[in-house]
Amino acid sequence: MKKYRRGSNKPHFYHAQHNLILNKGLDHGLANWGGIIIHPVESQQYRGFEQMFVYVAVGTGTNAPANNQTGLSSEIARTADNLGLGAGRTRQRLSDGVHRITFTRAFDYSQANGNLTEFGGSHSGNIADGTLTRELFRDNGGNPIVISKTSNERLAITYHFEVTLTPTTETAQGSINLLDNSGNVVLTRLVRGLWIGRDSNPHRDYGGFIGDNGMADRIGHWVTSQASNMTYLDTTNFNGGRYGARLAYTNGNYYRDVEGERGPETNNVDVFAYGLAGATDSQVSYKIRFVDGVGADNPIIKDKDYRLRLALRMKVNRV
């Protein structure tokens, strides 16, 4: 948080602290994974969890933040503008699977004047929709403080939203069962999975997290020689079976299920892996590979006359 005196672009007050993502925020991010909000000022697409920071609100409430809250205690103003005091949104890849997304929102001289005690982020410009994050302004010791803003000052609030996606190496190994239409187990396969982020696009793994289309995508061949960038080869829509769908989200679950399907085709196919893509025409961000007991490729042989439906689950939690 920074305050700027009238006519100055250099802050005379600066303070940094943590912010709490509410349960409502986790629910919104997952329920809208793949949904799009066009930012009212920037005209940029905000997807999934990024929607929590389209607006920033401030208020005068002093109740301690709690996960089950739905907004500020006493909101007085919100804004989607940055007034040139910072970038509206920037994305930075810190390491494999680790991303920092920065949002700046600012209140002008005539906005949010008074003694401020709380702030939070929101997807909506309507106060009735509450906020998806909430925190009190605090000093370096963690004690609540009051931020006094006058008509001779502008107030800028910058959020750093950090995301860690795991696993980023193929070390976790489990098993999945393939079922027939009656629910009978017809095949069991060991699997390994990872968030990728090792190709020419440094945000490829993050793209699957925010979910442009959020599809279980490109269910097809994966070959060992391409392990460095985890490229998926099949890009053809097989009778409507290539792309998947997000299953309905239930508030409080904090996970999102996605299904993808390969339909009938001309020849039998060896399916080495499948994954999750941020967009229907993007490379895969998350990969699940079929392996044997020593971790070598062990593809599923898909009969050309049958359909193969595969699923994955993305789960989130705050730290």
Side-chain angles (χ1 to χ4, degrees), residues 130-247:
T131 60
L132 304 175
T133 71
R134 181 174 180 266
E135 188 50 88
L136 302 178
F137 291 112
R138 301 179 186 273
D139 62 19
N140 292 334
N143 303 304
I145 58 175
V146 176
I147 301 297
S148 296
K149 180 186 178 301
T150 71
S151 59
N152 287 317
E153 296 172 311
R154 295 183 295 179
L155 173 66
I157 296 178
T158 297
Y159 275 93
H160 298 289
F161 177 53
E162 293 196 0
V163 177
T164 299
L165 305 169
T166 60
T168 56
T169 58
E170 283 191 335
T171 54
Q173 183 164 301
S175 63
I176 64 170
N177 293 325
L178 273 69
L179 311 177
D180 61 21
N181 286 338
S182 300
N184 300 312
V185 177
V186 295
L187 182 68
T188 298
R189 273 290 190 272
L190 293 175
V191 297
R192 288 185 175 182
L194 82 164
W195 285 94
I196 298 169
R198 291 185 174 85
D199 60 19
S200 59
N201 186 332
H203 301 299
R204 194 74 73 187
D205 47 350
Y206 179 67
F209 172 74
I210 61 173
D212 182 347
N213 291 286
M215 300 290 189
D217 187 343
R218 300 188 183 189
I219 299 172
H221 298 285
W222 176 82
V223 295
T224 305
S225 63
Q226 293 175 316
S228 61
N229 59 14
M230 306 303 176
T231 299
Y232 286 71
L233 301 183
D234 286 338
T235 59
T236 304
N237 186 336
F238 290 100
N239 299 328
R242 173 182 165 218
Y243 298 128
R246 299 174 298 276
L247 303 186

Side-chain angles (χ1 to χ4, degrees), residues 6-126:
R6 185 177 289 274
S8 175
N9 286 322
K10 294 183 179 180
H12 67 89
F13 180 86
Y14 171 82
H15 182 66
Q17 64 180 88
H18 290 290
N19 192 232
L20 176 66
I21 298 175
L22 305 175
N23 293 343
K24 177 182 175 182
L26 296 180
D27 284 334
H28 180 88
L30 285 167
N32 292 277
W33 185 40
I36 293 174
I37 290 177
I38 303 299
H39 194 281
V41 178
E42 303 162 18
S43 299
Q44 299 293 317
Q45 293 184 349
Y46 276 60
R47 306 180 181 98
F49 291 88
E50 291 188 336
Q51 294 179 7
M52 292 191 295
F53 309 102
V54 173
Y55 291 82
V56 165
V58 291
T60 58
T62 57
N63 293 337
N67 292 344
N68 61 356
Q69 293 171 350
T70 59
L72 302 188
S73 295
S74 183
E75 181 177 334
I76 65 169
R78 62 178 56 198
T79 182
D81 209 339
N82 60 57
L83 303 179
L85 300 178
R89 177 186 62 189
T90 58
R91 296 171 179 164
Q92 180 183 7
R93 182 175 180 272
L94 304 180
S95 60
D96 282 353
V98 181
H99 296 265
R100 177 182 296 151
I101 306 87
T102 301
F103 311 85
T104 295
R105 305 289 176 251
F107 296 91
D108 212 344
Y109 300 113
S110 62
Q111 299 173 305
N113 292 323
N115 295 324
L116 308 175
T117 55
E118 58 178 343
F119 65 102
S122 178
H123 65 292
S124 170
N126 188 345

